Amino acid sequence: MDYFIQQFINGITLGGLYALIALGYTMVYGVIQLINFAHGEFFAAGGYVGVIVLSYLTGLGLLETHPVLCLTASFALTMAYCAFLAVGVEKVAYKPLRKQSRLAALLSALGMSIFLSNGLMLTQGVYDKAYPSELFQGMIQVGGITISYLQIMILCMTGVLLVCLNTLVFKTKIGMAMRATAQDKIMSSLVSISSNRIISLTFAIGAGLAAAAGIMVGLYYGSVRYDMGFLPGIKAFAAAVLGGIGNITGAMLGGLIIGMVEVFGAGYISGEYKDVFAFIILIAVLYFKPTGIMGENIDDTRV
Amino acid sequence: MIQEFKKIWKPYLIGLLWLLGLLWPLLGIHPDGTLSFARTFTVWLYIATGISICAVIYLLNKSDALGPVTAPIGNARKALGAFGKTVPTWVWLLALLVVALIYPQVTNRYAQDVAVNVLIYICLGLGLNIVVGLAGMLDLGYIAFYGVGAYSYALLNTHFGISFWATLPIAALLACIAGCIIGYPTLRMRGDYLAIVTLGFGEIVRIILNNWMSVTNGPNGILGVKAPSIFWPSFAEGFSFELLYLKKLHYLYYIALGLAIITIISVRNLNYSRIGRAWESIREDETAAELMGVNTFLLKLLAYAMGALFAGLAGAFFCARMRFVSPESFTFLESAMVLSMVVLGGMGSIPGIMLGAAALIVLPEVFREFETYRMLAFGLAMIVMMLFRPAGLIPAKRVGTRSEEKEG
């Protein structure tokens, strides 16, 4: 039983991270119906910028004296960086292709993904880059269950970001504009919503969330690599599709399910095949419900 | 020129500054707590100069200032095209065949190696073309069938000693079955759901190959696969046949050429048959096709099976040529590569895909000196290509837009 609860907590941690990445896919898909293959690279870039900022602060000696401040700063800077990166990518590679066929935009996204991951490799090197390890050393023991401070931090951070996003999308004017653009671009432009600006904003928000996930994954596993964006990227995409692509609540749910399945599959069945379980669940769900668990494009939950 | 320049200088400058802003954190922040600007600025200056030159050429071309240069080239192309029309198509095809046949006699090993690669990818590209170009189903896990073909030859050969020629149909059949297995559950899905499920299947196949140690020897791969062999008449001691292993690269080149020609002819015939037209009707509008009496279920499954068949053939040959096979060769990047050949060449267009395959294999070889920048340039080229010629190098003639896309 302890083992089960332990795995459950690990699953939620991982699932939350997948959910953060999946949101970017689903939001971008919601507004422009594009599978943004470069999204995994935003996540990897987030991991890298996070390690760069954190090690810079360690070098200055600030990390030991003000750890919370440093962590906040690195999260903020990294999310901002990835938001800017995503807006740039959108303007260069996707915006001119909006009128073309979807396959052209998809290939452009694929090219962007290859370009970005190789750009990261050229500037940062082929080898793993280690995160400063002195952060979040301790852990809590409850019975036979261990929860590290790091996991608590990740869970809290993920929760806060998800709540913020929900508030932004469902409670604010900007969110309303995003949902309007997702539903009908022409109508929303008639009520003076600039769809270009909303699309850029969507990319920025999605990439910001992915960047936060990137830092947390870096902290969780201790290092980052230039090609780390690929597998989490496609799993998060699977999560987005699982929940019904274009559906924000669905993406969160899908992320959690994929994370759980992966952790429980690795814990109870076989560690080597842990990547397979996520896809098998995806295929099984889509076979019986071809538009995902929550369904696609239901009324106004779509962004 | 000035007018054109006025239109774009603002976004252009913002873009360059944006790039500088994105580059600096990656290059200028050091873990020892120092900041530097010099290196970032140099790198940025190189990139900015390159982009500026391209932009100036683009602007000059757009405002017809390059007329004296481009006009003769355009005229020459027109004249060449007119000349090409006067000669019947079969002459061109014959000429191409002759060139392909004498190619290994006049080139070195390295060039033959590249040519064999191109031929393998032509088979793959044309196979994927059936699924993506004709039937309009986006398949991101296509390389799995290539893997099935390669592993079936490797396993049948190393365990049971079955020869290449006997394995070829078996590999094709197994790939076909794999295609049906993967195709069946995905038939109800459309568009992006299909894309992720096929991607998932591709990854599943690769992970299984990677982890099923007792059969596939995991990431180490299978060594000691025999090369294709033929019975060759020998007159040494009277008349007899001896078993000759075709290890020389130019023999393998001819086998690859044969496979590619078979693929090209079959795909062409499929394309212009009832089945091909049915596939195209499914691509244009599935509901309407079903209404007109097209059995969409069977034909979509057939598209998968046919696409997989050619991948299986190519895979068996690939394994026979390398005489080694490992899961490394069947990653998602390979699927993406084949897909980009199809799209860059022009979906549904056979000469286009051949050109696309040749371009994507040969160009990186030409730029081999810039090894580290190769994939960077590949990604960039894909984006640029899509921006300026999204329909592909040689667009197919019978392509409309899918009705689903129009609605969205």
Side-chain angles (χ1 to χ4, degrees):
Chain A
M1 192 61 200
D2 281 352
Y3 186 64
F4 179 81
I5 296 171
Q6 179 77 58
Q7 293 296 332
F8 186 77
I9 290 164
N10 293 346
I12 287 193
T13 318
L14 193 65
L17 294 175
Y18 283 146
L20 282 182
I21 311 171
L23 281 170
Y25 277 110
T26 227
M27 288 166 70
V28 166
Y29 189 88
V31 288
I32 54 171
Q33 281 80 48
L34 162 79
I35 304 173
N36 180 13
F37 264 106
H39 194 68
E41 264 53 53
F42 298 155
F43 159 78
Y48 264 107
V49 176
V51 74
I52 289 170
V53 173
L54 276 177
S55 24
Y56 173 72
L57 292 172
T58 319
L60 285 181
L62 284 172
L63 198 64
E64 284 155 34
T65 49
H66 307 88
V68 178
L69 201 65
C70 283
L71 207 65
T72 320
S74 64
F75 266 103
L77 287 175
T78 307
M79 286 166 79
Y81 177 88
C82 284
F84 275 96
L85 176 68
V87 172
V89 164
E90 194 264 329
K91 293 276 185 241
V92 172
Y94 306 150
K95 196 180 162 203
L97 286 169
R98 229 172 268 160
K99 294 255 153 40
Q100 298 291 350
S101 80
R102 280 165 61 181
L103 210 57
L106 187 83
L107 266 238
S108 178
L110 214 57
M112 204 48 170
S113 159
I114 296 172
F115 179 80
L116 287 178
S117 74
N118 279 278
L120 274 179
M121 185 190 79
L122 285 173
T123 50
Q124 300 297 312
V126 196
Y127 304 106
D128 293 19
K129 237 183 165 143
Y131 259 77
S133 55
E134 55 266 33
L135 283 165
F136 303 108
Q137 287 289 354
M139 52 186 69
I140 304 174
Q141 289 265 359
V142 185
I145 311 154
T146 6
I147 312 173
S148 66
Y149 287 151
L150 186 61
Q151 271 178 322
I152 295 174
M153 188 280 281
I154 290 175
L155 283 174
C156 294
M157 190 77 198
T158 312
V160 167
L161 284 173
L162 293 184
V163 170
C164 283
L165 182 82
N166 253 332
T167 321
L168 178 80
V169 171
F170 294 111
K171 296 273 152 58
T172 62
K173 273 226 153 121
I174 293 175
M176 204 191 272
M178 282 166 73
R179 282 179 289 150
T181 314
Q183 280 188 5
D184 193 329
K185 274 194 203 58
I186 298 170
M187 272 314 287
S188 63
S189 66
L190 283 180
V191 292
S192 75
I193 295 168
S194 157
S195 65
N196 278 341
R197 220 172 274 171
I198 291 295
I199 289 169
S200 296
L201 185 73
T202 311
F203 267 87
I205 294 173
L209 294 176
I215 303 190
M216 290 191 272
V217 165
L219 285 168
Y220 197 45
Y221 293 106
S223 67
V224 284
R225 230 178 106 83
Y226 74 96
D227 58 357
M228 73 183 222
F230 173 66
L231 208 57
I234 56 173
K235 273 189 213 149
F237 177 42
V241 174
L242 187 63
I245 195 156
N247 184 323
I248 288 191
T249 329
M252 296 179 186
L253 195 68
L256 283 176
I257 293 175
I258 293 274
M260 287 285 183
V261 166
E262 190 178 323
V263 168
F264 277 108
Y268 283 99
I269 308 173
S270 153
E272 286 159 351
Y273 289 100
K274 72 179 164 84
D275 296 335
V276 171
F277 300 126
F279 291 119
I280 288 179
I281 288 293
L282 172 81
I283 291 162
V285 168
L286 287 187
Y287 182 65
F288 293 109
K289 224 168 165 332
T291 49
I293 295 173
M294 304 286 285
E296 190 179 6
N297 311 344
I298 26 174
D299 45 84
D300 60 347
T301 58
R302 172 175 151 193
V303 156
Chain B
M1 168 76 191
I2 303 296
Q3 289 295 319
E4 299 280 344
F5 181 71
K6 268 188 185 156
K7 245 187 266 169
I8 70 157
W9 75 271
K10 228 177 188 171
Y12 175 72
L13 267 187
I14 294 176
L16 282 181
L17 287 178
W18 204 281
L19 181 70
L20 182 66
L22 288 178
L23 267 178
W24 178 70
L26 292 179
L27 292 170
I29 305 182
H30 305 292
D32 52 0
T34 51
L35 302 174
S36 70
F37 295 93
R39 184 160 165 239
T40 320
F41 201 67
T42 349
V43 172
W44 179 73
L45 218 55
Y46 278 124
I47 300 173
T49 325
I51 296 175
S52 305
I53 292 170
C54 293
V56 166
I57 292 175
Y58 175 72
L59 280 182
L60 283 175
N61 190 21
K62 220 176 175 185
S63 56
D64 290 329
L66 284 183
V69 188
T70 50
I73 298 176
N75 287 341
R77 249 175 65 183
K78 253 184 220 151
L80 214 66
F83 171 71
K85 287 236 169 63
T86 57
V87 183
T89 323
W90 64 267
V91 176
W92 285 115
L93 290 179
L94 203 68
L96 198 68
L97 187 67
V98 169
V99 170
L101 281 177
I102 59 171
Y103 178 81
Q105 312 298 335
V106 293
T107 47
N108 60 2
R109 221 189 119 73
Y110 175 65
Q112 287 169 21
D113 204 48
V114 175
V116 170
N117 259 337
V118 171
L119 290 170
I120 292 179
Y121 276 100
I122 285 178
C123 291
L124 284 174
L126 287 175
L128 184 62
N129 176 44
I130 294 176
V131 185
V132 179
L134 295 183
M137 301 183 285
L138 182 54
D139 186 347
L140 293 177
Y142 185 66
I143 214 72
F145 308 127
Y146 185 52
V148 169
Y151 267 90
S152 24
Y153 176 54
L155 292 173
L156 286 172
N157 188 267
T158 47
H159 289 302
F160 306 108
I162 302 175
S163 80
F164 174 73
W165 304 106
T167 321
L168 213 50
I170 301 175
L173 188 71
L174 286 175
C176 246
I177 293 170
C180 290
I181 292 172
I182 294 180
Y184 180 72
T186 59
L187 286 181
R188 290 173 60 198
M189 301 162 198
R190 287 188 183 189
D192 307 293
Y193 294 92
L194 188 68
I196 181 65
V197 169
T198 48
L199 203 166
F201 266 121
E203 280 298 301
I204 288 176
V205 169
R206 190 183 62 82
I207 294 166
I208 289 175
L209 291 179
N210 213 357
N211 288 319
W212 197 1
M213 285 305 281
S214 55
V215 175
T216 64
N217 199 18
N220 305 330
I222 298 172
L223 276 164
V225 183
K226 293 268 192 317
S229 59
I230 49 168
F231 285 110
W232 194 254
S234 126
F235 302 100
E237 301 157 29
F239 182 76
S240 66
F241 284 101
E242 67 173 329
L243 197 62
L244 189 69
Y245 282 106
L246 301 176
K247 287 183 182 166
K248 286 255 173 55
L249 199 60
H250 58 266
Y251 294 133
L252 291 172
Y253 170 85
Y254 285 121
I255 298 177
L257 187 65
L259 281 181
I261 288 172
I262 291 170
T263 311
I264 291 167
I265 292 173
S266 352
V267 170
R268 192 193 163 278
N269 286 349
L270 275 175
N271 192 354
Y272 290 103
S273 68
R274 271 176 71 94
I275 296 174
R277 285 200 300 277
W279 279 334
E280 291 196 6
S281 72
I282 292 175
R283 177 189 68 203
E284 302 298 330
D285 192 328
E286 197 175 326
T287 319
E290 193 155 14
L291 201 66
M292 298 306 287
V294 174
N295 187 342
T296 51
F297 176 82
L298 214 62
L299 278 160
K300 279 163 88 175
L301 206 59
L302 187 69
Y304 263 109
M306 279 294 160
L309 188 144
F310 294 114
L313 289 180
F317 174 76
F318 169 75
C319 175
R321 178 208 149 191
M322 302 301 278
R323 277 182 272 143
F324 165 71
V325 61
S326 81
E328 281 287 287
S329 319
F330 311 110
T331 56
F332 171 67
L333 198 65
E334 292 290 310
S335 283
M337 188 94 169
V338 180
L339 183 66
S340 31
M341 279 167 194
V342 174
V343 179
L344 289 187
M347 275 199 303
S349 132
I350 294 174
I353 290 163
M354 287 160 68
L355 192 67
L360 281 187
I361 299 294
V362 174
L363 285 182
E365 294 295 332
V366 173
F367 295 109
R368 195 152 263 261
E369 294 107 87
F370 309 102
E371 184 77 48
T372 43
Y373 297 96
R374 213 153 58 125
M375 288 313 283
L376 195 76
F378 176 69
L380 199 64
M382 250 163 99
I383 301 166
V384 171
M385 185 72 203
M386 283 301 113
L387 291 182
F388 291 101
R389 225 189 149 107
L393 291 169
I394 306 178
K397 291 192 182 81
R398 300 192 304 188
V399 177
T401 40
R402 299 190 63 174
S403 53
E404 287 169 26
E405 281 173 16
K406 273 187 207 147
E407 288 162 17

